[in-house]
Amino acid sequence: MGKVIILLGPPGAGKGTQAKKISEKYGIPHVSTGDMLREAVRNKTELGLKAKAAMDSGKLVSDDIVLGIVKERLSRSDCKKGCMLDGFPRNVSQAESLKEILGERYNEVVALLVDVDENILIKRLTGRRNCLKCGAIYNIYFSPPKVENKCDKCGGELIQRDDDKEEVVKSRLEVYKESTLPLIEYYRNEGKLKIVDGSQEPNLVFEKVVQLLGL
Ligand code: ADP
Ligand code: ADP
Ligand code: ZN
């Protein structure tokens, strides 16, 4: 049984960016509750319809919906060799549930905080663009694609998430402070917290992450 890596940090810290690098290089599955929820919304599944209103306004989707998807995903065979949780847990109650779900595997948990100063988050979030086809992450200010609105990797169209518009970004940052920030102390107390400075260039952050996680 491999490590269970929990990526912690505010919206826009670079969790997804680092997760994709780790997943590409080490083959560890990237389990992003945000990506899974957005897919459900796009496919208009029952679960997606339930989650949509909360997501549009930058609030958290209910714990039972999210726990359902996470449980199902973690039970698949590819997660046996380890996995990376991105965007989950989002509050202390989800963290307690995760502990229960993992049982013995909880010993393998490492929580990695991608730490960045609040004042750069707005630009990272409002400048974020994602490839519709392959999920690659860009930023119009910090890491623009070679051709405007086109993915360097697959030529797919780049779009801005609805919740990356400035009005919603502010409410997401509030929700983070209120609900998710306490998880830093939670995992510190559990003796599982590691911290990486996420303000540097993505490849430098990646080097540190690899060292910290012992990959
Ligand atoms: P999160 O998953 O934590 O919300 P993302 O990985 O999607 O964050 O990154 C948010 C935005 O910031 C994206 O536009 C991404 O290209 C950009 N970004 C990520 N890491 C860095 C970094 N180290 N320096 C500058 N910009 C970054
Ligand atoms: P980011 O990585 O930019 O912070 P995510 O993609 O993780 O954003 O999440 C987008 C939205 O999906 C959140 O604002 C929230 O509505 C919903 N969401 C994702 N993960 C969870 C979770 N673990 N619990 C509740 N809601 C979630
Ligand atoms: Zn692409």
Side-chain angles (χ1 to χ4, degrees):
M1 290 283 180
K3 283 193 182 72
V4 177
I5 301 162
I6 296 172
L7 295 167
L8 287 179
K15 302 180 295 297
T17 300
Q18 294 303 320
K20 282 187 194 304
K21 288 180 184 291
I22 297 171
S23 170
E24 268 164 34
K25 186 151 178 196
Y26 299 99
I28 303 173
H30 175 199
V31 176
S32 160
T33 44
D35 286 350
M36 292 189 285
L37 288 167
R38 277 185 292 277
E39 198 188 327
V41 171
R42 271 199 303 276
N43 295 333
K44 300 197 167 62
T45 66
E46 196 182 327
L47 194 145
L49 294 174
K50 281 192 194 148
K52 190 177 185 313
M55 294 178 76
D56 284 347
S57 61
K59 305 255 161 57
L60 293 183
V61 173
S62 73
D63 289 349
D64 54 322
I65 291 183
V66 174
L67 281 168
I69 7 185
V70 170
K71 259 190 214 163
E72 193 279 325
R73 184 65 189 86
L74 287 178
S75 71
R76 286 196 232 159
S77 62
D78 63 336
C79 282
K80 290 218 168 67
K81 61 179 182 211
C83 70
M84 251 173 316
L85 295 173
D86 172 8
F88 178 90
R90 239 1 191 262
N91 56 34
V92 171
S93 156
Q94 291 182 8
E96 298 282 5
S97 302
L98 177 66
K99 193 171 181 174
E100 258 173 54
I101 294 168
L102 289 175
E104 293 259 297
R105 279 195 89 179
Y106 192 66
N107 293 325
E108 310 283 325
V109 165
V110 189
L112 177 70
L113 170 64
V114 184
D115 193 25
V116 281
D117 205 80
E118 204 185 327
N119 59 37
I120 62 175
L121 293 174
I122 304 245
K123 219 168 169 186
R124 283 201 184 177
L125 289 165
T126 55
R128 171 159 62 186
R129 300 292 183 272
N130 296 85
C131 174
L132 259 181
K133 221 160 128 190
C134 77
I137 305 168
Y138 296 86
N139 191 290
I140 56 170
Y141 308 113
F142 304 120
S143 48
K146 295 199 179 81
V147 180
E148 202 179 337
N149 282 324
K150 235 182 174 184
C151 179
D152 293 351
K153 291 188 181 147
C154 78
E157 185 197 349
L158 303 186
I159 52 145
Q160 180 177 37
R161 276 166 49 177
D162 286 335
D163 63 350
D164 276 345
K165 309 254 155 78
E166 195 159 351
E167 320 82 71
V168 190
V169 159
K170 289 194 174 133
S171 113
R172 285 165 61 208
L173 292 171
E174 287 304 314
V175 170
Y176 172 77
K177 275 194 217 161
E178 178 141 346
S179 303
T180 313
L181 196 65
L183 290 180
I184 297 173
E185 280 318 304
Y186 179 91
Y187 285 111
R188 200 196 304 275
N189 288 332
E190 300 276 293
K192 297 188 179 298
L193 186 71
K194 296 194 187 276
I195 302 175
V196 67
D197 175 5
S199 62
Q200 291 167 304
E201 197 262 309
N203 286 326
L204 282 177
V205 180
F206 183 56
E207 277 178 30
K208 299 254 169 67
V209 167
V210 169
Q211 278 173 18
L212 278 169
L213 296 177
L215 294 173

